[in-house]
């Protein structure tokens, strides 16, 4: 691969690295930010949460806008907004300004995240595309590791403002490279962005994430309940709106594909199981085990380091494996990793939780390189941005709900002693493992159903081909006999024979075209083409 040909992958990975690193980079540095801005931890919680909120609520909307207006344009605009917002965060005079700029950073991150995968898909094909997606998945895992560790280290060494200011230079570099090397967007059809659908989906997802965050902070109560009701109402309204819209924001027909449903379920489940309990583990390491922020961050980084290693070493091979293997087995490993929290009852110490971090890292490293390409297989190329954004939104919602539910189990922990911590971590393990195992099983069932459909389509095509063979041969013999006759009758027979032959050819060709249609169908045919099912 020539250096210039690598540039779309380099630019996409740089953008993904930045936007994912900044989902976690602030968490460990919260005490330093609170001291610098003279505020409390409750106010700063929204500095962390508003980024996740914007990312989850706007991913699908940004993907749809990219499909209509051009992915390069949306990507570059998002990169510019992310970079300028990072600069503004580093110069923020108070916590209100920091929260607003952090939200703008999340909006830019959503625009980048929604368009990176379609840009990779459009830039590469075949084995190159598989390797590109594997590299992207490995970089995504590495970003989480750097985010966890660098936030605490930078805040301690250079001050909390350096966390944001250090994103400005790579951000500006990424914008320059994107403008220089990304191909210009092709002409698009005259579609419009579904404004009503965008508003309903954005508000609904925002309300869902807010409900999860409020539940995680305060437990059950009127706040989470109202937010959940708003999310449900917007969800129902969105489905009704999309059914009637001439140019829907999301093609609901995607959800009739078993493979796409499996991808969305796994995206939610593996993020819930692998990353939802991390805040609880961080709390246990610092409060129960007495570790400092930096040592806690380094210990938690075992998971993303393993994630990166598995994605980098096995990502290309997993792209060629049957889809149930990385999605089903990988998510199940995340669930088994959660169950290993129970080792704390046998060996009470930080070492007891290391197997959990390793297993969830392996499982997530299996899923991540494959999920992106699988999400776009059943989508029309013109709507690939929306398909990938739906999968990435499911990941972000899984993370938000996982953090909220697992953290909510710690709300009101009256006696934070060894017995209470062990019991509560057991409850977290049970919940997270149940979600992981349920989504893994659902994915395997859905993917097997798709495989059965593909085999039925192949069998039907074979029967049609066998039936067409004798008919074509019979027609040829009839035409040959007619052609040997002389005189007017021979001419008439020849004309008849020619007509019959043409008719049979049309029938056979029609059968072959029907088979061809089955071979390219979004549900069944892509199995045969890519061989992953």
């Amino acid at each position: 691969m020539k250096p210039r040909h690598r540039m779309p992958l380099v630019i996409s990975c740089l953008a993904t690295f930045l936007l994912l690193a900044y989902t976690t980079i602030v968490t460990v540095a919260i005490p330093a930010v609170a001291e610098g801005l003279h505020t409390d931890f409750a106010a700063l919680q929204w500095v962390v949460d508003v980024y996740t909120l914007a990312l989850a609520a706007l991913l699908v909307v940004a993907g749809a806008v990219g499909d209509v207006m051009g992915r390069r344009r949306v990507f570059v605009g998002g990169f510019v907004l992310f970079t300028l917002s990072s600069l503004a965060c580093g110069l923020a005079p108070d916590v209100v300004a920091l929260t607003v700029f952090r939200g703008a950073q999340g909006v830019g991150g959503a625009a980048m995240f929604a368009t990176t995968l379609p840009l990779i898909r459009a830039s590469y094909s075949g084995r190159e595309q598989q390797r590109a997606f594997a590299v992207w998945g490995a970089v995504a895992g590495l970003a989480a590791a750097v985010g966890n560790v660098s936030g605490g280290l930078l805040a301690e060494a250079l001050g909390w403002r350096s966390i944001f200011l250090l994103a400005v230079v790579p951000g500006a570099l990424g914008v320059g490279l994107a403008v220089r090397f990304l191909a210009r967007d092709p002409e698009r059809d005259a579609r419009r962005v579904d404004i009503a659908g965008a508003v309903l989906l954005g508000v609904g997802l925002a309300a869902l994430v807010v409900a999860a965050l409020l539940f995680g902070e305060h437990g059950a109560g009127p706040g989470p309940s109202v937010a959940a009701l708003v999310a449900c109402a917007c969800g129902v309204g969105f489905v009704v709106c999309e059914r009637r819209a001439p140019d829907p924001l999301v093609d609901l027909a995607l959800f009739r594909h078993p493979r796409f449903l499996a991808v969305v379920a796994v995206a939610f489940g593996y993020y819930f199981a692998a990353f939802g309990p991390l805040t609880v583990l961080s709390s246990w390491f610092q409060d129960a085990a007495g570790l400092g922020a930096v040592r806690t961050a380094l210990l938690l980084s075992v998971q993303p380091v393993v994630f990166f290693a598995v994605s980098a070493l096995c990502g290309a091979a997993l792209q060629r494996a049957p889809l149930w293997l990385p999605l089903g087995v990988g998510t199940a490993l995340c669930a088994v990793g959660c169950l290993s929290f129970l080792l704390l009852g046998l060996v009470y110490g930080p070492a007891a939780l290391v197997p959990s971090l390793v297993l969830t890292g392996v499982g997530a490293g299996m899923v991540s390189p494959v999920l992106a390409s699988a999400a776009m297989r059943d989508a029309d190329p013109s709507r690939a941005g929306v398909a990938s954004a739906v999968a990435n939104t499911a990941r972000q919602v899984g993370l938000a709900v996982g953090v909220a539910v697992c953290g909510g189990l710690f709300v009101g922990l009256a006696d934070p002693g060894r017995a209470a911590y062990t019991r509560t971590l057991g409850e977290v393990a049970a919940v997270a493992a149940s979600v992981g195992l349920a989504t893994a099983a659902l994915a395997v069932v859905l993917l097997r159903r798709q495989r059965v459909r593909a085999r039925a389509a192949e069998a039907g095509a074979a029967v049609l081909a066998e039936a067409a063979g004798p008919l074509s041969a019979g027609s040829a013999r009839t035409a040959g006999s007619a052609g040997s006759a002389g005189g007017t009758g021979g001419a008439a027979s020849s004309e008849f024979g020619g007509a019959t032959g043409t008719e049979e050819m049309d029938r056979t060709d029609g059968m072959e075209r029907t088979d061809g249609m089955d071979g390219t169908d979004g549900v069944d045919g892509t199995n045969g083409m890519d061989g992953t099912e």
Side-chain angles (χ1 to χ4, degrees), residues 66-486:
D67 288 344
V68 174
M69 296 181 60
R71 292 159 190 158
R72 178 182 183 271
R73 185 179 292 114
V74 172
F75 176 82
V76 172
F79 220 153
V80 170
L81 179 58
F82 181 90
T83 304
L84 293 177
S85 300
S86 299
L87 176 62
C89 286
L91 302 175
D94 53 49
V95 69
V96 175
L98 180 59
T99 303
V100 171
F101 295 140
R102 181 84 164 134
Q105 193 184 39
V107 174
M112 293 192 296
F113 206 10
T115 49
T116 49
L117 293 174
L119 285 172
I120 292 175
R121 186 193 191 193
S123 301
Y124 306 99
S125 60
R127 291 290 181 91
E128 279 189 348
Q129 189 182 88
Q130 293 177 352
R131 286 195 294 268
F133 280 126
V135 170
W136 182 89
V139 169
L142 180 63
V146 172
N148 278 332
V149 177
S150 62
L153 295 177
L154 288 172
E156 198 170 287
L158 302 175
W160 69 268
R161 294 184 185 275
S162 65
I163 293 173
F164 299 103
L165 294 176
L166 287 177
V168 175
V169 172
L173 176 63
V175 171
L177 291 174
V179 172
R180 175 69 178 84
F181 291 104
L182 290 183
R184 294 190 177 276
D185 294 310
E187 292 294 326
R188 300 279 171 178
D189 296 333
R191 287 189 305 167
R192 295 182 178 181
V193 177
D194 179 14
I195 301 298
V199 171
L200 285 170
L201 182 63
V203 173
L205 287 172
L208 178 62
V209 174
V210 168
L213 294 173
L214 291 176
F215 175 80
E217 293 175 13
H218 309 294
S225 300
V226 171
L229 288 174
V230 171
C232 291
C234 288
V236 173
F238 175 74
V239 172
V240 172
C241 178
E242 296 303 278
R243 287 182 179 276
R244 298 177 178 177
D247 292 315
L249 186 75
V250 178
D251 184 5
L252 298 181
L254 272 176
F255 292 94
R256 292 200 293 266
H257 296 279
R259 175 165 50 205
F260 187 74
L261 286 175
V263 167
V264 173
V266 164
F268 177 89
Y270 99 94
Y271 249 54
F272 186 112
F275 307 116
L278 287 183
T279 53
V280 171
L281 296 185
S282 177
S283 174
W284 185 87
F285 283 137
Q286 295 183 72
D287 298 337
L291 302 181
V294 174
R295 290 182 64 191
T296 296
L298 290 171
L299 193 54
L300 290 175
S301 294
V302 169
Q303 184 201 61
V305 166
V306 173
F307 181 126
F308 174 76
V310 172
S311 295
L313 296 175
C314 307
L318 290 169
Q319 290 276 352
R320 299 188 294 271
L323 203 55
W324 64 266
L325 179 63
L327 297 190
V329 175
T331 307
L333 278 176
C334 293
V336 173
C338 293
L339 288 176
S340 65
F341 292 172
L342 300 176
L343 292 174
L344 203 63
L346 301 176
V347 181
Y348 193 77
L353 297 177
V354 171
S356 168
L357 297 170
V358 172
L359 286 171
T360 53
V362 172
M366 291 177 64
V367 174
S368 184
V370 178
L371 195 74
S373 57
M376 295 184 286
R377 273 181 208 163
D378 295 318
D380 185 271
S382 65
R383 292 185 175 269
V386 171
S388 67
V390 169
N392 283 327
T393 298
R395 287 204 262 203
Q396 295 303 315
V397 173
L399 176 63
V401 175
V403 170
V405 171
C406 295
L409 294 172
F410 267 58
V411 173
L413 193 61
D415 180 23
R418 173 172 177 171
Y421 270 124
T422 303
R423 182 181 65 254
T424 308
L425 278 174
E427 295 171 357
V428 170
V431 172
S434 297
V435 172
L437 289 174
T439 52
L442 177 61
V444 171
V445 170
L446 289 170
L447 293 171
R448 284 181 61 85
R449 182 183 300 173
Q450 176 132 351
R451 193 172 186 179
V452 169
R453 285 188 182 183
R455 287 177 175 174
E458 291 171 2
V463 170
L464 289 174
E466 289 176 4
L471 287 174
S472 299
S475 298
R477 284 195 299 271
T478 302
S481 299
S484 64

